[in-house]
mmCIF file of all heavy atoms in Angstrom:
data_model
loop_
_atom_site.group_PDB
_atom_site.id
_atom_site.type_symbol
_atom_site.label_atom_id
_atom_site.label_comp_id
_atom_site.label_asym_id
_atom_site.label_seq_id
_atom_site.Cartn_x
_atom_site.Cartn_y
_atom_site.Cartn_z
ATOM 1 N N CYS A 1 7.547 -72.198 -86.389
ATOM 2 C CA CYS A 1 7.783 -71.204 -87.445
ATOM 3 C C CYS A 1 6.599 -70.978 -88.364
ATOM 4 O O CYS A 1 6.498 -69.905 -88.980
ATOM 5 C CB CYS A 1 9.002 -71.611 -88.272
ATOM 6 S SG CYS A 1 10.549 -71.610 -87.331
ATOM 7 N N ASN A 2 5.701 -71.939 -88.492
ATOM 8 C CA ASN A 2 4.579 -71.765 -89.410
ATOM 9 C C ASN A 2 3.304 -71.285 -88.721
ATOM 10 O O ASN A 2 2.260 -71.181 -89.365
ATOM 11 C CB ASN A 2 4.334 -73.050 -90.199
ATOM 12 C CG ASN A 2 5.296 -73.181 -91.358
ATOM 13 O OD1 ASN A 2 5.239 -72.408 -92.314
ATOM 14 N ND2 ASN A 2 6.216 -74.127 -91.266
ATOM 15 N N HIS A 3 3.401 -70.974 -87.440
ATOM 16 C CA HIS A 3 2.290 -70.270 -86.801
ATOM 17 C C HIS A 3 2.248 -68.852 -87.380
ATOM 18 O O HIS A 3 3.290 -68.226 -87.596
ATOM 19 C CB HIS A 3 2.494 -70.218 -85.288
ATOM 20 C CG HIS A 3 1.311 -69.706 -84.539
ATOM 21 N ND1 HIS A 3 0.951 -68.368 -84.531
ATOM 22 C CD2 HIS A 3 0.386 -70.340 -83.775
ATOM 23 C CE1 HIS A 3 -0.133 -68.202 -83.804
ATOM 24 N NE2 HIS A 3 -0.502 -69.390 -83.324
ATOM 25 N N PRO A 4 1.079 -68.300 -87.648
ATOM 26 C CA PRO A 4 0.999 -66.960 -88.251
ATOM 27 C C PRO A 4 1.782 -65.890 -87.495
ATOM 28 O O PRO A 4 2.368 -64.995 -88.114
ATOM 29 C CB PRO A 4 -0.503 -66.666 -88.248
ATOM 30 C CG PRO A 4 -1.135 -68.014 -88.345
ATOM 31 C CD PRO A 4 -0.255 -68.929 -87.546
ATOM 32 N N ILE A 5 1.827 -65.965 -86.175
ATOM 33 C CA ILE A 5 2.565 -64.971 -85.395
ATOM 34 C C ILE A 5 4.067 -65.095 -85.650
ATOM 35 O O ILE A 5 4.773 -64.096 -85.828
ATOM 36 C CB ILE A 5 2.259 -65.114 -83.889
ATOM 37 C CG1 ILE A 5 0.773 -64.833 -83.631
ATOM 38 C CG2 ILE A 5 3.150 -64.183 -83.070
ATOM 39 C CD1 ILE A 5 0.309 -63.453 -84.053
ATOM 40 N N LEU A 6 4.561 -66.330 -85.685
ATOM 41 C CA LEU A 6 5.983 -66.542 -85.963
ATOM 42 C C LEU A 6 6.317 -66.180 -87.403
ATOM 43 O O LEU A 6 7.384 -65.628 -87.683
ATOM 44 C CB LEU A 6 6.364 -67.997 -85.682
ATOM 45 C CG LEU A 6 6.969 -68.308 -84.319
ATOM 46 C CD1 LEU A 6 8.340 -67.697 -84.163
ATOM 47 C CD2 LEU A 6 6.048 -67.849 -83.196
ATOM 48 N N ARG A 7 5.415 -66.476 -88.334
ATOM 49 C CA ARG A 7 5.661 -66.105 -89.731
ATOM 50 C C ARG A 7 5.841 -64.598 -89.839
ATOM 51 O O ARG A 7 6.737 -64.112 -90.542
ATOM 52 C CB ARG A 7 4.504 -66.569 -90.622
ATOM 53 C CG ARG A 7 4.336 -68.077 -90.683
ATOM 54 C CD ARG A 7 3.646 -68.520 -91.966
ATOM 55 N NE ARG A 7 2.365 -67.925 -92.212
ATOM 56 C CZ ARG A 7 1.193 -68.501 -91.946
ATOM 57 N NH1 ARG A 7 1.153 -69.690 -91.366
ATOM 58 N NH2 ARG A 7 0.064 -67.903 -92.248
ATOM 59 N N THR A 8 4.988 -63.850 -89.142
ATOM 60 C CA THR A 8 5.099 -62.391 -89.184
ATOM 61 C C THR A 8 6.407 -61.930 -88.563
ATOM 62 O O THR A 8 7.104 -61.063 -89.112
ATOM 63 C CB THR A 8 3.909 -61.751 -88.454
ATOM 64 O OG1 THR A 8 2.695 -62.118 -89.133
ATOM 65 C CG2 THR A 8 4.028 -60.236 -88.435
ATOM 66 N N LEU A 9 6.770 -62.502 -87.414
ATOM 67 C CA LEU A 9 8.017 -62.112 -86.761
ATOM 68 C C LEU A 9 9.213 -62.392 -87.670
ATOM 69 O O LEU A 9 10.118 -61.551 -87.805
ATOM 70 C CB LEU A 9 8.171 -62.857 -85.433
ATOM 71 C CG LEU A 9 9.413 -62.511 -84.610
ATOM 72 C CD1 LEU A 9 9.096 -62.571 -83.111
ATOM 73 C CD2 LEU A 9 10.584 -63.451 -84.895
ATOM 74 N N ILE A 10 9.242 -63.566 -88.299
ATOM 75 C CA ILE A 10 10.360 -63.937 -89.166
ATOM 76 C C ILE A 10 10.458 -62.981 -90.347
ATOM 77 O O ILE A 10 11.546 -62.506 -90.690
ATOM 78 C CB ILE A 10 10.211 -65.398 -89.621
ATOM 79 C CG1 ILE A 10 10.471 -66.342 -88.441
ATOM 80 C CG2 ILE A 10 11.166 -65.714 -90.773
ATOM 81 C CD1 ILE A 10 10.127 -67.797 -88.718
ATOM 82 N N LEU A 11 9.328 -62.681 -90.992
ATOM 83 C CA LEU A 11 9.361 -61.748 -92.129
ATOM 84 C C LEU A 11 9.756 -60.349 -91.679
ATOM 85 O O LEU A 11 10.544 -59.665 -92.352
ATOM 86 C CB LEU A 11 8.002 -61.723 -92.830
ATOM 87 C CG LEU A 11 7.861 -62.614 -94.062
ATOM 88 C CD1 LEU A 11 8.774 -62.125 -95.190
ATOM 89 C CD2 LEU A 11 8.164 -64.062 -93.740
ATOM 90 N N ASP A 12 9.219 -59.897 -90.552
ATOM 91 C CA ASP A 12 9.603 -58.578 -90.039
ATOM 92 C C ASP A 12 11.102 -58.517 -89.784
ATOM 93 O O ASP A 12 11.768 -57.511 -90.088
ATOM 94 C CB ASP A 12 8.854 -58.271 -88.742
ATOM 95 C CG ASP A 12 7.375 -57.975 -88.968
ATOM 96 O OD1 ASP A 12 6.975 -57.760 -90.131
ATOM 97 O OD2 ASP A 12 6.624 -57.964 -87.968
ATOM 98 N N CYS A 13 11.628 -59.581 -89.234
ATOM 99 C CA CYS A 13 13.049 -59.638 -88.914
ATOM 100 C C CYS A 13 13.902 -59.584 -90.179
ATOM 101 O O CYS A 13 14.841 -58.782 -90.284
ATOM 102 C CB CYS A 13 13.346 -60.915 -88.130
ATOM 103 S SG CYS A 13 15.087 -61.146 -87.729
ATOM 104 N N LEU A 14 13.596 -60.418 -91.156
ATOM 105 C CA LEU A 14 14.374 -60.442 -92.392
ATOM 106 C C LEU A 14 14.301 -59.099 -93.114
ATOM 107 O O LEU A 14 15.306 -58.587 -93.628
ATOM 108 C CB LEU A 14 13.882 -61.573 -93.296
ATOM 109 C CG LEU A 14 14.039 -62.998 -92.744
ATOM 110 C CD1 LEU A 14 13.414 -64.003 -93.710
ATOM 111 C CD2 LEU A 14 15.493 -63.345 -92.484
ATOM 112 N N GLN A 15 13.104 -58.532 -93.163
ATOM 113 C CA GLN A 15 12.954 -57.230 -93.813
ATOM 114 C C GLN A 15 13.756 -56.155 -93.086
ATOM 115 O O GLN A 15 14.356 -55.277 -93.716
ATOM 116 C CB GLN A 15 11.472 -56.843 -93.866
ATOM 117 C CG GLN A 15 10.656 -57.680 -94.828
ATOM 118 C CD GLN A 15 9.168 -57.386 -94.717
ATOM 119 O OE1 GLN A 15 8.721 -56.733 -93.782
ATOM 120 N NE2 GLN A 15 8.393 -57.863 -95.681
ATOM 121 N N TYR A 16 13.797 -56.225 -91.763
ATOM 122 C CA TYR A 16 14.573 -55.244 -90.992
ATOM 123 C C TYR A 16 16.055 -55.331 -91.340
ATOM 124 O O TYR A 16 16.704 -54.307 -91.591
ATOM 125 C CB TYR A 16 14.377 -55.492 -89.499
ATOM 126 C CG TYR A 16 15.292 -54.662 -88.626
ATOM 127 C CD1 TYR A 16 15.052 -53.308 -88.434
ATOM 128 C CD2 TYR A 16 16.402 -55.233 -88.007
ATOM 129 C CE1 TYR A 16 15.897 -52.530 -87.643
ATOM 130 C CE2 TYR A 16 17.255 -54.471 -87.214
ATOM 131 C CZ TYR A 16 17.000 -53.127 -87.041
ATOM 132 O OH TYR A 16 17.848 -52.362 -86.270
ATOM 133 N N TRP A 17 16.597 -56.545 -91.393
ATOM 134 C CA TRP A 17 18.028 -56.698 -91.687
ATOM 135 C C TRP A 17 18.360 -56.255 -93.108
ATOM 136 O O TRP A 17 19.473 -55.787 -93.376
ATOM 137 C CB TRP A 17 18.468 -58.142 -91.450
ATOM 138 C CG TRP A 17 18.613 -58.479 -90.003
ATOM 139 C CD1 TRP A 17 17.738 -59.164 -89.214
ATOM 140 C CD2 TRP A 17 19.706 -58.113 -89.143
ATOM 141 N NE1 TRP A 17 18.206 -59.254 -87.925
ATOM 142 C CE2 TRP A 17 19.419 -58.620 -87.860
ATOM 143 C CE3 TRP A 17 20.894 -57.412 -89.334
ATOM 144 C CZ2 TRP A 17 20.280 -58.445 -86.771
ATOM 145 C CZ3 TRP A 17 21.753 -57.239 -88.253
ATOM 146 C CH2 TRP A 17 21.445 -57.753 -86.995
ATOM 147 N N VAL A 18 17.406 -56.364 -94.010
ATOM 148 C CA VAL A 18 17.648 -55.919 -95.390
ATOM 149 C C VAL A 18 17.455 -54.414 -95.518
ATOM 150 O O VAL A 18 18.304 -53.702 -96.068
ATOM 151 C CB VAL A 18 16.724 -56.672 -96.370
ATOM 152 C CG1 VAL A 18 16.774 -56.043 -97.759
ATOM 153 C CG2 VAL A 18 17.128 -58.138 -96.442
ATOM 154 N N MET A 19 16.343 -53.894 -95.008
ATOM 155 C CA MET A 19 16.025 -52.471 -95.200
ATOM 156 C C MET A 19 16.870 -51.556 -94.323
ATOM 157 O O MET A 19 17.361 -50.532 -94.785
ATOM 158 C CB MET A 19 14.538 -52.231 -94.931
ATOM 159 C CG MET A 19 13.609 -52.877 -95.943
ATOM 160 S SD MET A 19 11.877 -52.356 -95.755
ATOM 161 C CE MET A 19 11.503 -52.961 -94.108
ATOM 162 N N GLU A 20 17.042 -51.915 -93.062
ATOM 163 C CA GLU A 20 17.732 -51.034 -92.119
ATOM 164 C C GLU A 20 19.211 -51.353 -91.953
ATOM 165 O O GLU A 20 20.005 -50.476 -91.629
ATOM 166 C CB GLU A 20 17.045 -51.082 -90.745
ATOM 167 C CG GLU A 20 15.605 -50.617 -90.758
ATOM 168 C CD GLU A 20 15.466 -49.145 -91.135
ATOM 169 O OE1 GLU A 20 16.450 -48.387 -91.012
ATOM 170 O OE2 GLU A 20 14.368 -48.755 -91.569
ATOM 171 N N MET A 21 19.597 -52.615 -92.178
ATOM 172 C CA MET A 21 20.990 -53.016 -91.968
ATOM 173 C C MET A 21 21.713 -53.341 -93.276
ATOM 174 O O MET A 21 22.910 -53.616 -93.279
ATOM 175 C CB MET A 21 21.049 -54.229 -91.032
ATOM 176 C CG MET A 21 20.251 -54.042 -89.748
ATOM 177 S SD MET A 21 20.908 -52.747 -88.684
ATOM 178 C CE MET A 21 21.813 -53.712 -87.502
ATOM 179 N N HIS A 22 20.978 -53.376 -94.389
ATOM 180 C CA HIS A 22 21.532 -53.509 -95.741
ATOM 181 C C HIS A 22 22.255 -54.834 -96.008
ATOM 182 O O HIS A 22 23.158 -54.888 -96.840
ATOM 183 C CB HIS A 22 22.470 -52.334 -96.051
ATOM 184 C CG HIS A 22 21.761 -51.052 -96.330
ATOM 185 N ND1 HIS A 22 22.291 -50.039 -97.102
ATOM 186 C CD2 HIS A 22 20.534 -50.599 -95.938
ATOM 187 C CE1 HIS A 22 21.442 -49.031 -97.170
ATOM 188 N NE2 HIS A 22 20.368 -49.354 -96.462
ATOM 189 N N VAL A 23 21.860 -55.905 -95.319
ATOM 190 C CA VAL A 23 22.510 -57.182 -95.598
ATOM 191 C C VAL A 23 22.016 -57.728 -96.936
ATOM 192 O O VAL A 23 20.936 -57.383 -97.427
ATOM 193 C CB VAL A 23 22.290 -58.202 -94.468
ATOM 194 C CG1 VAL A 23 22.736 -57.644 -93.133
ATOM 195 C CG2 VAL A 23 20.842 -58.667 -94.413
ATOM 196 N N ASP A 24 22.822 -58.614 -97.517
ATOM 197 C CA ASP A 24 22.571 -59.113 -98.872
ATOM 198 C C ASP A 24 21.951 -60.499 -98.909
ATOM 199 O O ASP A 24 21.502 -60.937 -99.976
ATOM 200 C CB ASP A 24 23.894 -59.153 -99.644
ATOM 201 C CG ASP A 24 24.542 -57.790 -99.738
ATOM 202 O OD1 ASP A 24 24.228 -57.050 -100.672
ATOM 203 O OD2 ASP A 24 25.357 -57.462 -98.853
ATOM 204 N N GLY A 25 21.949 -61.209 -97.790
ATOM 205 C CA GLY A 25 21.406 -62.552 -97.836
ATOM 206 C C GLY A 25 21.428 -63.214 -96.475
ATOM 207 O O GLY A 25 21.977 -62.696 -95.491
ATOM 208 N N PHE A 26 20.814 -64.402 -96.426
ATOM 209 C CA PHE A 26 20.707 -65.167 -95.188
ATOM 210 C C PHE A 26 20.968 -66.634 -95.476
ATOM 211 O O PHE A 26 20.546 -67.179 -96.494
ATOM 212 C CB PHE A 26 19.309 -65.029 -94.572
ATOM 213 C CG PHE A 26 18.893 -63.612 -94.310
ATOM 214 C CD1 PHE A 26 18.128 -62.921 -95.243
ATOM 215 C CD2 PHE A 26 19.271 -62.967 -93.144
ATOM 216 C CE1 PHE A 26 17.738 -61.612 -95.010
ATOM 217 C CE2 PHE A 26 18.886 -61.648 -92.912
ATOM 218 C CZ PHE A 26 18.119 -60.972 -93.847
ATOM 219 N N ARG A 27 21.651 -67.261 -94.546
ATOM 220 C CA ARG A 27 21.774 -68.721 -94.536
ATOM 221 C C ARG A 27 20.955 -69.212 -93.347
ATOM 222 O O ARG A 27 21.170 -68.793 -92.210
ATOM 223 C CB ARG A 27 23.234 -69.128 -94.413
ATOM 224 C CG ARG A 27 23.483 -70.641 -94.398
ATOM 225 C CD ARG A 27 23.659 -71.157 -92.976
ATOM 226 N NE ARG A 27 24.113 -72.536 -92.921
ATOM 227 C CZ ARG A 27 24.183 -73.258 -91.810
ATOM 228 N NH1 ARG A 27 23.825 -72.730 -90.644
ATOM 229 N NH2 ARG A 27 24.620 -74.495 -91.835
#
């Protein structure tokens, strides 16, 4: 998860679920 490529994928993913899917949080 702390490889730069994985960090980017994780952030892209979280941002997608917030911006495009309107979720309020993550566990």
Side-chain angles (χ1 to χ4, degrees):
C1 295
N2 280 293
H3 189 286
I5 297 301
L6 264 292
R7 296 205 304 261
T8 298
L9 182 145
I10 289 170
L11 263 294
D12 288 347
C13 178
L14 297 176
Q15 290 173 348
Y16 172 75
W17 284 101
V18 169
M19 293 189 298
E20 299 296 339
M21 309 295 260
H22 285 206
V23 305
D24 301 272
F26 304 95
R27 180 262 190 189

